[in-house]
Amino acid sequence: MEKLLVTGGGGFIGSNFIVLAQSGSNTKIINLDKLTYASHPQTLQALSQLPNYQFVRGDIGDRILIKQLLNDYQPDAIINFAAESHVDRSIANPNDFIQTNVVGTANLLEETRFYWQGLNEPQKSAFRFIHISTDEVYGSLGADDPAFLETTPYAPNSPYAASKASADHLVRAYFHTYGLPTITTNCSNNYGPYQFPEKLIPLIISQALNQQPLPIYGDGLNIRDWLYVADHCRAIYTVLEQGKIGETYNIGGNSEKTNIEVVKVICNLLNELVPKSGFDYQSLVTFVKDRPGHDRRYAINCEKIKQELGWQPQETFNSGLRKTVQWYLQHQAWVNAVNTPAHQNWLAQHYGIRP
Ligand code: NAD
Ligand code: TYD
């Protein structure tokens, strides 16, 4: 692949993917991002130093822009990360999720179809549309249920999950109806560098460092299957190079943890790395009102990508979390820059937290 169009590359996973895709290769990357609150100016600044990289500000739902971009840049593949991605915000304001995740993806697919139909061989057969989705489309598991398979029926429970499920169905339909060479990946909860501190792990790190309450929803026993972002990005690259068109691949970290376990491991790492005499970060843990419709457990069975494409995660939860905490400690300027009035407003409205 010589030229990739990456959407949403100003966000957490997309920016990590761009760095990985450029390391040791001449791949040219065009990053199309709307620059919502979730993209960070310093992340974009870091990407802009890369050699074969270009940034375009815009919306995946803007068909005129997408048509022009595809015609001008003639990408060999599109990797669609762009999305509204936070469940709590989807509960507060579902419409943005429907606009970007459903309508935006539909518009992107439609323009991609016209572009792809106009390609000549061998570019046409080699073209790929990789759609990044989530395990949340499968709904919630009971304690003893087997982990999600690619064949598990969709049962989304939040507006976020429902919007991602809708997009996945459209991607599937474009393969079956038009033959567009699509592949969808459904991954579990990611963590690692450059994650916006509204998601559990970076929120807890940032709150703890500011000696603020660590909000845990409900009883803290909800389970997520944590995946280190670099492992996820390697999996996406593997799917891009070797994945079979029309297929979906589940990607997980084999690391099921309750939320309270996650928070305790973070606190113990901070007790070790940033000790404060006579103080345990765990004393900041605060149980708060549960999220409405809060899914109890997610778990991914990723045997398919392991067996068929030879990918497997390299980080354990403990090694990945240590790297993540160290990254946030070394990038305090990045964390502090997120602390805009809009972010403070979200914390105040959502948790009643005032810095
Ligand atoms: P993120 O919120 O950090 O970043 C999303 C990026 O998309 C931002 O830079 C934002 O500006 C951009 N964007 C939003 N709307 C856009 C639009 N209309 N047009 C162009 N750009 C737009 O998200 P993330 O955590 O990096 O997630 C990336 C993808 O992975 C998403 O599709 C998400 O659903 C999926 N996913 C994420 C996780 C996770 O744990 N973070 C887990 C499973 C799946
Ligand atoms: P989150 O990072 O928002 O990801 P998702 O909802 O997509 O899984 O949340 C991960 C888990 O942590 C989820 O069970 C909700 C819980 N959680 C809290 O307990 N407190 C918080 O402040 C947040 C943001 C999440």
Side-chain angles (χ1 to χ4, degrees):
M1 295 283 167
E2 288 178 10
K3 257 183 274 170
L4 303 180
L5 173 61
V6 170
T7 73
F12 165 47
I13 306 174
S15 59
N16 277 280
F17 178 82
I18 290 172
V19 171
L20 174 91
Q22 280 235 325
S23 62
S25 87
N26 293 324
T27 305
K28 182 168 184 200
I29 295 188
I30 298 106
N31 176 11
L32 170 70
D33 197 299
K34 185 178 170 182
L35 301 187
T36 70
Y37 78 93
S39 60
H40 192 299
Q42 289 180 20
T43 303
L44 291 165
Q45 172 65 27
L47 292 177
S48 70
Q49 311 300 318
L50 295 170
N52 294 311
Y53 169 82
Q54 194 166 342
F55 177 73
V56 176
R57 184 173 191 176
D59 192 319
I60 55 165
D62 180 345
R63 285 186 56 177
I64 294 168
L65 172 70
I66 300 293
K67 185 189 281 300
Q68 193 189 330
L69 273 182
L70 294 175
N71 289 335
D72 288 354
Y73 290 107
Q74 302 274 312
D76 303 307
I78 297 175
I79 301 136
N80 184 31
F81 293 93
E84 290 291 339
S85 69
H86 188 36
V87 172
D88 292 322
R89 288 187 192 255
S90 85
I91 295 168
N93 182 10
N95 198 47
D96 288 350
F97 288 69
I98 292 158
Q99 280 312 316
T100 283
N101 300 1
V102 186
V103 179
T105 306
N107 288 355
L108 180 65
L109 279 167
E110 188 65 347
E111 286 306 327
T112 304
R113 170 166 82 96
F114 294 137
Y115 165 71
W116 171 73
Q117 283 171 338
L119 288 177
N120 296 317
E121 295 296 353
Q123 286 83 6
K124 190 172 182 186
S125 298
F127 182 80
R128 294 289 179 272
F129 183 99
I130 312 290
H131 176 64
I132 309 306
S133 189
T134 167
D135 59 0
E136 305 198 21
V137 297
Y138 299 122
S140 185
L141 292 169
D144 299 322
D145 289 340
F148 301 128
L149 286 165
E150 286 79 359
T151 48
T152 301
Y154 275 29
N157 289 323
S158 69
Y160 164 67
S163 68
K164 292 295 290 185
S166 307
D168 294 8
H169 289 322
L170 286 167
V171 172
R172 177 189 160 89
Y174 268 67
F175 170 73
H176 283 278
T177 305
Y178 305 111
L180 185 71
T182 66
I183 304 176
T184 296
T185 58
N186 296 85
C187 67
S188 58
N189 286 62
N190 282 222
Y191 66 102
Y194 295 109
Q195 187 170 29
F196 194 84
E198 63 180 355
K199 306 279 170 66
L200 181 69
I201 288 179
L203 176 84
I204 295 297
I205 298 170
S206 129
Q207 288 288 111
L209 289 174
N210 290 321
Q211 313 255 326
Q212 293 290 316
L214 311 181
I216 309 216
Y217 298 158
D219 60 8
L221 297 180
N222 300 67
I223 292 173
R224 299 292 183 263
D225 179 354
W226 293 95
L227 171 65
Y228 190 63
V229 66
D231 280 332
H232 182 204
C233 291
R234 278 191 309 101
I236 296 168
Y237 209 81
T238 305
V239 166
L240 174 68
E241 288 191 316
Q242 301 173 45
K244 203 168 151 216
I245 60 170
E247 295 285 320
T248 69
Y249 295 92
N250 280 355
I251 307 168
N254 297 327
S255 294
E256 282 189 62
K257 304 279 171 219
T258 62
N259 293 336
I260 191 71
E261 277 178 278
V262 171
V263 173
K264 281 184 180 162
V265 180
I266 295 172
C267 289
N268 288 338
L269 281 165
L270 292 174
N271 285 334
E272 175 198 325
L273 298 169
V274 203
K276 294 202 184 304
S277 169
F279 177 75
D280 183 344
Y281 288 91
Q282 284 191 43
S283 64
L284 297 169
V285 165
T286 308
F287 288 90
V288 299
K289 192 165 166 280
D290 207 354
R291 169 190 283 173
H294 193 176
D295 284 341
R296 192 65 173 168
R297 174 177 165 237
Y298 303 142
I300 280 271
N301 179 325
C302 53
E303 281 308 304
K304 178 175 171 179
I305 186 170
K306 282 185 181 166
Q307 300 299 331
E308 294 184 11
L309 307 186
W311 170 88
Q312 61 177 8
Q314 289 177 355
E315 299 292 342
T316 64
F317 183 67
N318 284 339
S319 67
L321 199 54
R322 179 173 286 273
K323 283 186 181 172
T324 304
V325 170
Q326 281 168 334
W327 187 88
Y328 280 91
L329 290 174
Q330 287 155 8
H331 292 79
Q332 279 297 295
W334 187 96
V335 181
N336 293 336
V338 169
N339 211 6
T340 58
H343 184 59
Q344 286 173 14
N345 206 19
W346 166 256
L347 294 178
Q349 267 180 5
H350 189 67
Y351 302 98
I353 294 171
R354 293 191 185 278

